[in-house]
Amino acid sequence: MKITDIKLTVVGVPRQTGFVNKHIIVKIYSDEGVIGIGEMSDFSHLPRYAPDVEDLTNVIKSVLVGETPFDIMKLNKELTGNFPEAMYYYEKGSFIRNGIDAALYDLCAKYLGISVAELLGGRVREKIKVCYPIFRMRFMDEVAANIEVVRERLNQGFDVFRLYVGKNIEADEAFLDTIQREFGQKVKIKSLDFSHLLDWKTALQAVKRLTKYDLGLEMIESPALANDHEGFHHIRMRTDYPISEHVWSTRQQYEMIKHDSVDIFNISPVFIGGLTAAKRAAAVAEVAGKSVILGTTQELSIGTAAMAHLGASITNLNYTSDPTGPELYIGDVVKNRVQYKDGYLHLPDRSLTGLGIELDEEMIETYQVKDLSWGEVSVHQLQDRTAQVKN
């Protein structure tokens, strides 16, 4: 089997908040008539630059067309050479490699008549516990709206939440106090996510204020400036809660192990550059005696399905994970969206091959946009994803 063509389609899908996220849907064609699909998820991140899609398509064609899709390691090496790793969270090259790698796995698994999870080593679980995100509050009057989000999502089966914190600690406290009084043990706050907004000393002061609430906290996420491995180690030694950080490059993961700066590696294919790199990062974590959670940039169903297959094959996935992206959007581009039940992300049925996801061409046409341009988007909108923006 040989790769014959590549097609990239840009879609802009609104979140329920009104923010429009732009993604690239990937199709890899083969001479056997099998088509692999993937998703370059969520280009709508700082920094505000994005590739030209026509040029990107030509580059990827030059790497893949004529190659055997089963040579996944070789193709990943070539893709990394063209779109190298960087010590940065939202590196767009990682987004690109992720979409291509998922499509390669989907193509190969479909050809073999198996699921991607089987291609990754088999399943150790059929569902993954996940949490729903509560976005960061800049003002006190945003607290009530977030409490209402908890009420609504709890009725839908989500009983675990991840709280973005650090911009307004008084608002964060007010939210946690209300949650504890209204819901008691019915609701769990999985993590306080600082997203590198604060230096480690300031974050530690905030942690001391916010952890007085008994809400089943599992971890503290990103409580230091990005790549401040010494800072992560300092705060880790000064709190009883496990520290979690995203993995966005091989070198960065090495430095975190070297400095013993985290307890839990937050691994997401979009940030590390694909299923191949994510599986390797999880294995490195296991060797280092660390746990893993699945992170997210809030993918659509294709990207989320890829993470579900990955999570099914990881043995050291020991904490609640994050992929609830499809629940945040008003639509999707597939006929069979990934399924959530009782706060769990369920894998596609074993009878379905590849990622187990079928594209909906009509919905792709509905959400298709011409490019990855930004329009009138502020920094706050990019960071918090909570304001209406123009498409």
Side-chain angles (χ1 to χ4, degrees):
M1 181 168 60
K2 300 290 184 180
I3 296 171
T4 59
D5 200 6
I6 310 293
K7 182 178 180 181
L8 305 181
T9 303
V10 184
V11 295
V13 184
R15 294 191 181 199
Q16 294 179 8
T17 60
F19 188 94
V20 177
N21 281 86
K22 292 189 176 181
H23 316 262
I24 293 179
I25 306 304
V26 179
K27 289 183 181 179
I28 299 181
Y29 296 84
S30 72
D31 58 2
E32 294 287 341
V34 184
I35 301 173
I37 64 172
E39 177 185 307
M40 299 179 187
S41 308
D42 196 1
F43 276 91
S44 305
H45 270 296
L46 288 168
R48 291 200 284 189
Y49 65 82
D52 175 88
V53 179
E54 182 178 351
D55 181 65
L56 178 61
T57 302
N58 291 332
V59 171
I60 294 172
K61 284 183 179 180
S62 72
V63 175
L64 296 185
V65 171
E67 297 289 338
T68 300
F70 282 100
D71 291 339
I72 290 177
M73 298 303 293
K74 171 191 172 184
L75 296 177
N76 266 270
K77 184 176 180 180
E78 294 185 15
L79 287 166
T80 302
N82 284 272
F83 307 101
E85 286 189 339
M87 293 283 283
Y88 183 65
Y89 190 7
Y90 297 118
E91 170 53 45
K92 305 300 171 66
S94 297
F95 295 13
I96 293 165
R97 287 185 282 117
N98 172 52
I100 297 300
D101 196 37
L104 289 171
Y105 275 95
D106 184 57
L107 174 58
C108 293
K110 283 176 177 174
Y111 181 77
L112 294 173
I114 61 175
S115 76
V116 167
E118 274 64 58
L119 198 58
L120 288 167
R123 306 186 186 201
V124 295
R125 60 183 62 83
E126 295 290 340
K127 60 182 181 179
I128 299 164
K129 186 66 176 178
V130 293
C131 60
Y132 194 86
I134 301 297
F135 291 102
R136 194 169 282 108
M137 294 165 284
R138 287 179 285 151
F139 307 105
M140 191 66 73
D141 59 11
E142 295 175 311
V143 173
N146 275 340
I147 296 296
E148 185 59 31
V149 171
V150 173
R151 294 189 188 107
E152 292 174 358
R153 292 298 173 172
L154 181 60
N155 288 333
Q156 296 170 5
F158 291 98
D159 58 348
V160 182
F161 296 84
R162 172 167 57 110
L163 178 63
Y164 288 90
V165 298
K167 279 192 176 178
N168 186 326
I169 301 301
E170 286 72 25
D172 297 335
E173 280 193 295
F175 173 85
L176 292 170
D177 180 68
T178 303
I179 290 294
Q180 182 169 275
R181 287 187 290 103
E182 180 172 339
F183 300 101
Q185 300 303 309
K186 293 180 181 179
V187 163
K188 181 177 179 180
I189 301 297
K190 182 207 80 167
S191 61
L192 304 176
D193 189 343
F194 286 88
S195 302
H196 315 113
L197 290 179
L198 307 177
D199 65 85
W200 75 266
K201 286 187 178 180
T202 308
L204 181 60
Q205 294 172 355
V207 167
K208 290 178 179 178
R209 289 178 62 176
L210 299 178
T211 53
K212 64 185 179 183
Y213 301 96
D214 182 19
L215 292 166
L217 192 67
E218 294 184 22
M219 68 192 73
I220 310 294
E221 297 195 66
S222 305
L225 301 179
N227 294 318
D228 180 11
H229 306 297
E230 292 88 352
F232 273 90
H233 178 77
H234 285 310
I235 196 169
R236 179 172 178 257
M237 293 297 100
R238 289 166 171 80
T239 180
D240 293 332
Y241 294 96
I243 301 299
S244 172
E245 175 60 312
H246 301 268
V247 180
W248 53 72
S249 77
T250 303
R251 178 68 190 186
Q252 178 237 9
Q253 187 177 26
Y254 165 79
E255 291 292 339
M256 288 191 284
I257 294 171
K258 177 182 176 181
H259 290 89
D260 199 19
S261 58
V262 301
D263 303 281
I264 305 163
F265 286 115
N266 184 318
I267 296 174
S268 179
V270 68
F271 295 129
I272 192 64
L275 291 170
T276 300
K279 185 76 172 180
R280 180 172 61 242
V284 169
E286 189 169 21
V287 170
K290 306 292 186 179
S291 294
V292 165
I293 63 170
L294 295 180
T296 185
T297 183
Q298 310 305 350
E299 295 81 355
L300 299 172
S301 280
I302 301 170
T304 305
M307 286 194 290
H309 286 280
L310 171 68
S313 69
I314 294 176
T315 57
N316 53 332
L317 186 68
N318 300 324
Y319 292 86
T320 304
S321 289
D322 300 336
T324 52
E327 293 293 304
L328 274 66
Y329 292 97
I330 66 169
D332 213 316
V333 295
V334 301
K335 293 181 179 179
N336 54 330
R337 298 174 70 163
V338 293
Q339 296 298 307
Y340 296 91
K341 184 178 179 181
D342 298 328
Y344 284 85
L345 168 60
H346 287 253
L347 266 74
D349 190 87
R350 285 177 179 265
S351 65
L352 299 174
T353 61
L355 292 172
I357 296 293
E358 183 181 357
L359 290 178
D360 186 326
E361 298 295 342
E362 290 186 3
M363 295 310 299
I364 289 178
E365 185 175 349
T366 297
Y367 290 118
Q368 185 172 355
V369 294
K370 63 179 181 178
D371 56 33
L372 294 165
S373 60
W374 294 92
E376 299 177 14
V377 180
S378 73
V379 171
H380 285 309
Q381 289 168 333
L382 290 173
Q383 290 178 332
D384 300 335
R385 310 304 179 91
T386 54
Q388 179 74 39
V389 298
K390 296 179 180 179
N391 186 11

